[in-house]
Amino acid sequence: MQSTSQPNIYNVSKLNNDIKRLLEGNFGRIWLNAEVSNFVAASSGHWYFTLKDARSQIKCAMFKGRNRAVKFRPQNGQQIMVKANVSVYEPRGDYQLLVDVMDMAGDGLLQQQFEQLKCQLASEGLFATEHKKPLPSQVKRIGIITSPTGAAVQDILTVLKRRNPLVEVVIYPAQVQGQYATNELVHALEVANYRQETDLIIIGRGGGSLEDLWCFNNETLARTIFSSQIPVISAVGHEVDITISDFVADYRAPTPSAAAEIAVDSNEELINKFNYLRQRLVHALTKQVHQEKMSLQQLAHRLSAQDPKYKLQQQAQYLDELNTRLISCTQSKLNHYQQRLHLLNQRLTKQSPQLTISRMAERHKQLTNRLTYATKQMLTTKQSKLHSLLRELNTVSPLATLERGYSISYDDNESVITSSKQVKTGMKMVSQLHQGKVTSIVESIE
């Protein structure tokens, strides 16, 4: 029966990327001892070479930022020790080493062992600051663990004598180089802790190669220093030399002479320290007295602030402030309303009907005068015209004719009789005279 699931199909880039992550995740950083081959220093500053043994080889790259720390130039055929990460160069699908650290084979192996032990003890907390014991401020007796015939012990004794000759010294002899050096150093440190006769222990020696100082990179010695009940100063080699003892000791001195300088104070330093402490005490007492005075003044001020009389005064002052603010506010409001009233009065005056009435009355008077004058003028004109018309009317008026002796006759229908044809015999007619009327009956017509 065929499976219905889809196959996991890779492309080349994804495959190389997955292989790279797999190699880097499983191997991490490794140490490798091998022979250099095909060494090339590129113009970019990066190194490219091959590491090989009798049966296999692997390509390597060391970038410019890393190879600057290498103190020698690798040569083909040279045996070296490298610390590197396993990786894959994806564009070509080549797996390679990315080198971080490079040493010659002998020193490299010791360096590898040093790094391994350093990491192991650090992970156990032997180098942690919280486990460091403080150095005593007053040292009366110092223990020195070193070779009794070496230059280091003489340097330490010379410095101690110069700085404070009253300090006693106990020397615990031990070899500081060779096959039995580590055991003797451990034994001397155990004896010093067993006797508990010193306030401080200095362990160390003068300078030398990595192999010469190797006894101070021993795990047993490191654990013995860590377990010491007496504070330990490690003074191994020169300032550039670093050992496991330096990391685990309570204090690391760059040289044995420096350890003696650190261990004890000189007479002058003791006097200076005494004077400094005296000044600090005086300063502290003065400061304390000043602080107490300030505290007393603050308490007096607080007591005064809590006095009811003071509070009443404050309340009275506050009341006066409120009263002043009230008067000021009231006056301000009053002024505001007075100004507003004045503006309203002005507006009311402008809008008052009295002014309009006065203006209208004046206009009425003017119009009345004009009307009276116009009426008189018109009456005069009309009277003149009437007199003229009356004169003209009088000229053509039948009354004037009647006044000269004529009359006007009317029939019963009050129609003017202008012809004899309108009259019949026996008909009554009325004649209008200049003064009065006459009624007559027609007797004959001509």
Side-chain angles (χ1 to χ4, degrees):
M1 183 176 180
Q2 295 182 349
S3 174
T4 59
S5 62
Q6 295 293 330
N8 188 11
I9 300 176
Y10 282 86
N11 56 41
V12 176
S13 298
K14 186 176 186 307
L15 179 61
N16 283 343
N17 183 264
D18 287 354
I19 292 173
K20 177 182 179 181
R21 289 159 58 183
L22 181 64
L23 289 175
E24 292 177 351
N26 287 338
F27 283 91
R29 304 179 80 184
I30 64 168
W31 284 93
L32 182 66
N33 191 351
E35 179 184 334
V36 178
S37 176
N38 300 324
F39 177 81
V40 175
S43 59
S44 61
H46 306 321
W47 291 352
Y48 301 97
F49 53 94
T50 301
L51 291 180
K52 66 179 183 177
D53 57 19
R55 294 184 296 175
S56 300
Q57 64 181 16
I58 184 173
K59 292 182 179 180
C60 303
M62 191 173 193
F63 298 119
K64 178 172 61 176
R66 299 292 185 180
N67 61 39
R68 286 176 179 171
V70 180
K71 298 179 181 179
F72 65 96
R73 184 65 171 256
Q75 303 293 328
N76 291 332
Q78 186 178 22
Q79 197 77 14
I80 63 172
M81 176 75 70
V82 298
K83 186 178 184 180
N85 289 304
V86 180
S87 184
V88 172
Y89 183 60
E90 295 184 56
R92 288 201 303 266
D94 295 338
Y95 97 95
Q96 61 181 0
L97 294 181
L98 300 180
V99 179
D100 291 334
V101 179
M102 179 184 294
D103 289 309
M104 293 185 180
D107 290 343
L109 184 59
L110 291 178
Q111 188 67 30
Q112 178 184 3
Q113 295 174 359
F114 174 85
E115 292 291 341
Q116 290 176 345
L117 180 59
K118 177 183 172 183
C119 292
Q120 175 188 343
L121 297 181
S123 64
E124 296 180 19
L126 270 68
F127 304 159
T129 305
E130 58 266 22
H131 296 314
K132 306 292 184 184
K133 294 178 286 294
L135 301 182
S137 57
Q138 296 295 328
V139 177
K140 297 180 179 179
R141 185 177 295 169
I142 294 178
I144 303 175
I145 301 176
T146 188
S147 172
T149 59
V153 68
Q154 296 302 323
D155 292 340
I156 294 173
L157 292 175
T158 300
V159 173
L160 290 177
K161 185 176 181 180
R162 171 175 56 82
R163 290 180 64 79
N164 194 342
L166 298 179
V167 174
E168 299 179 9
V169 177
V170 178
I171 299 176
Y172 301 95
Q175 294 186 36
V176 291
Q177 181 177 343
Q179 180 180 359
Y180 304 105
T182 300
N183 291 334
E184 292 191 11
L185 290 170
V186 171
H187 177 70
L189 189 56
E190 290 175 344
V191 169
N193 274 273
Y194 176 76
R195 292 180 180 177
Q196 290 290 316
E197 56 190 350
T198 60
D199 303 312
L200 182 67
I201 296 174
I202 298 175
I203 182 170
R205 55 156 289 165
S209 64
L210 183 61
E211 290 85 358
D212 294 338
L213 305 179
W214 193 248
C215 59
F216 291 93
N217 292 320
N218 182 270
E219 180 180 357
T220 303
L221 177 60
R223 295 189 183 278
T224 304
I225 293 174
F226 180 78
S227 302
S228 174
Q229 299 176 4
I230 303 172
V232 178
I233 297 178
S234 176
V236 181
H238 302 299
E239 187 171 357
V240 295
D241 299 319
I242 303 294
T243 65
I244 297 296
S245 298
D246 294 332
F247 288 111
V248 75
D250 298 301
Y251 197 92
R252 186 238 172 190
T255 63
S257 299
E261 297 275 356
I262 295 168
V264 297
D265 295 326
S266 66
N267 290 332
E268 292 181 359
E269 289 177 344
L270 289 174
I271 294 173
N272 292 336
K273 183 181 289 187
F274 172 77
N275 291 332
Y276 171 71
L277 292 175
R278 184 171 63 83
Q279 290 177 358
R280 285 186 59 187
L281 180 61
V282 171
H283 176 73
L285 290 174
T286 303
K287 183 178 180 180
Q288 183 68 26
V289 170
H290 177 71
Q291 289 178 345
E292 294 297 334
K293 286 183 178 179
M294 292 295 294
S295 178
L296 182 61
Q297 290 177 358
Q298 291 177 356
L299 291 174
H301 178 73
R302 289 177 59 188
L303 181 61
S304 176
Q306 299 298 324
D307 189 349
K309 180 179 179 181
Y310 177 73
K311 285 194 172 184
L312 288 174
Q313 292 175 349
Q314 282 188 327
Q315 295 295 329
Q317 182 178 356
Y318 184 60
L319 182 61
D320 291 339
E321 290 179 359
L322 291 178
N323 185 47
T324 303
R325 287 168 60 186
L326 178 60
I327 294 173
S328 175
C329 183
T330 304
Q331 187 64 40
S332 176
K333 288 286 186 181
L334 182 60
N335 292 336
H336 172 72
Y337 286 124
Q338 285 178 344
Q339 292 177 359
R340 183 170 177 80
L341 179 61
H342 179 67
L343 292 175
L344 292 174
N345 281 332
Q346 289 181 344
R347 290 176 59 188
L348 182 61
T349 301
K350 291 180 181 180
Q351 301 296 327
S352 173
Q354 185 63 39
L355 182 61
T356 303
I357 291 171
S358 299
R359 288 200 302 266
M360 296 304 292
E362 183 65 25
R363 183 167 176 76
H364 179 266
K365 181 178 180 181
Q366 292 175 357
L367 292 175
T368 302
N369 293 335
R370 287 175 61 187
L371 180 60
T372 302
Y373 176 77
T375 303
K376 288 180 178 181
Q377 287 293 105
M378 187 177 67
L379 286 175
T380 302
T381 303
K382 293 295 184 181
Q383 285 176 351
S384 298
K385 188 175 182 180
L386 178 60
H387 291 157
S388 176
L389 291 174
L390 287 175
R391 284 193 298 270
E392 292 178 2
L393 181 61
N394 189 49
T395 303
V396 295
S397 174
L399 295 178
T401 302
L402 293 177
E403 187 176 0
R404 292 194 301 268
Y406 293 93
S407 64
I408 299 172
S409 297
Y410 299 93
D411 59 14
D412 291 337
N413 296 325
E414 293 184 357
S415 296
V416 177
I417 301 173
T418 61
S419 174
S420 58
K421 295 178 179 181
Q422 295 177 262
V423 180
K424 292 178 180 181
T425 302
M427 184 182 71
K428 185 176 64 175
M429 65 179 182
V430 177
S431 297
Q432 176 70 46
L433 302 178
H434 173 64
Q435 293 181 350
K437 295 179 180 180
V438 176
T439 303
S440 60
I441 299 173
V442 177
E443 293 180 356
S444 62
I445 299 173
E446 293 181 2

